[in-house]
Amino acid sequence: MSKRVAELRIPHFFGNGSVVKLPVRTELHLARKAWHLVMGSFIAFTYLSGVSSVVSVAILSSILIIDLFMETMRLRSQGFNEKVIRIMGPVMRAHEVHQSSAVPHYLFATIIAIAVFPKPVAVLSIMYLAFGDPAASLAGILYGDRSIRWSNGKSLVGSIAGVITCIIVSFVFFGLNAFHISPGHVMILSLIGGIAGGVAEHLPIDVDDNFLIPVFSGFVLWLAFILLGIAL
């Protein structure tokens, strides 16, 4: 671990005297990005494989209830919190030690996407979160200091990376699935969905990105399908 990364990490002292240092937002934290990508991809591809929306929502809701219970317990019990941090520490950030992690927001957003949107829109909105958000974060951390910084601390280069990634995800998704959509409509939908997925985190709403990205991009993409007269 580099000296700079070691200095960025915030130490947390456990009751037995041991210390765990968790990453902050400005660190690459590749393990968290991989976890983010794998979790979203698994949900999206499982739903796409033929699992019904009712079953998917029921399973994810059950997982969300268990996770909320675990989050509540660990925030009320220092000992339990320490055990959770020892296990989940590689994918946690420093600020999540004494507050809820991003997992409930992530799960709740996927539940809404699957329950509300048509399957193609739901899958794409979840994949925008799984792929676009980590790409934007990675680019912003690596090259953000060389570009414009927005008032929320995010960077222009990160936003561009997120938009491009979401557009690519859309093209690949439409290309691999047998949708009867013209090439022109595929181009339009990919651009609209990609932009919505990439800029959602900049909306002036105090809501976690993990919730905002799939919900906002899903509504925008679904509206695009409707306006283009494409049945789902």
Side-chain angles (χ1 to χ4, degrees):
M1 182 187 300
S2 68
K3 181 179 179 182
R4 177 176 177 273
V5 170
E7 290 174 345
L8 282 174
R9 295 194 169 190
I10 299 175
H12 295 280
F13 298 89
F14 288 163
N16 61 4
S18 60
V19 180
V20 171
K21 291 187 176 182
L22 299 178
V24 295
R25 291 182 183 277
T26 52
E27 186 179 337
L28 282 176
H29 203 178
L30 296 179
R32 183 184 178 93
K33 290 174 175 55
W35 165 251
H36 195 109
L37 190 151
V38 170
M39 182 165 62
S41 298
F42 180 77
I43 294 172
F45 289 125
T46 299
Y47 180 44
L48 187 63
S49 69
V51 180
S52 70
S53 60
V54 174
V55 172
S56 298
V57 167
I59 293 173
L60 289 171
S61 297
S62 299
I63 296 173
L64 175 59
I65 291 171
I66 294 172
D67 183 71
L68 288 172
F69 175 76
M70 298 286 285
E71 293 277 0
T72 302
M73 289 298 295
R74 77 174 182 86
L75 295 178
R76 291 185 176 183
S77 169
Q78 181 178 347
F80 185 61
N81 197 18
E82 291 176 0
K83 289 182 174 63
V84 172
I85 292 172
R86 290 186 186 283
I87 297 172
M88 301 301 296
V91 296
M92 290 181 68
R93 284 178 175 161
H95 71 275
E96 294 174 333
V97 171
H98 301 299
Q99 67 183 58
S100 176
S101 70
V103 175
H105 300 94
Y106 202 113
L107 290 173
F108 191 31
T110 59
I111 291 169
I112 290 178
I114 293 173
V116 175
F117 306 139
K119 180 169 283 192
V121 175
V123 170
L124 274 173
S125 68
I126 294 170
M127 292 176 69
Y128 292 158
L129 174 62
F131 289 87
D133 191 36
S137 176
L138 186 64
I141 291 171
L142 290 175
Y143 307 109
D145 291 339
R146 306 176 190 178
S147 74
I148 297 172
R149 284 278 182 185
W150 311 119
S151 59
N152 60 5
K154 300 181 187 298
S155 65
L156 174 61
V157 68
S159 300
I160 293 174
V163 169
I164 292 175
T165 300
C166 291
I167 290 174
I168 293 173
V169 165
S170 301
F171 271 118
V172 172
F173 177 80
F174 288 123
L176 294 179
N177 293 276
F179 294 107
H180 300 292
I181 303 175
S182 69
H185 281 166
V186 168
M187 175 74 73
I188 293 172
L189 291 170
S190 297
L191 289 174
I192 292 175
I195 293 172
V199 305
E201 62 183 6
H202 295 289
L203 294 176
I205 305 174
D206 187 20
V207 178
D208 191 281
D209 292 347
N210 293 287
F211 178 84
L212 191 58
I213 291 173
V215 173
F216 174 75
S217 64
F219 273 113
V220 171
L221 186 58
W222 191 14
L223 180 60
F225 270 96
I226 293 172
L227 293 177
L228 290 173
I230 302 173
L232 290 171

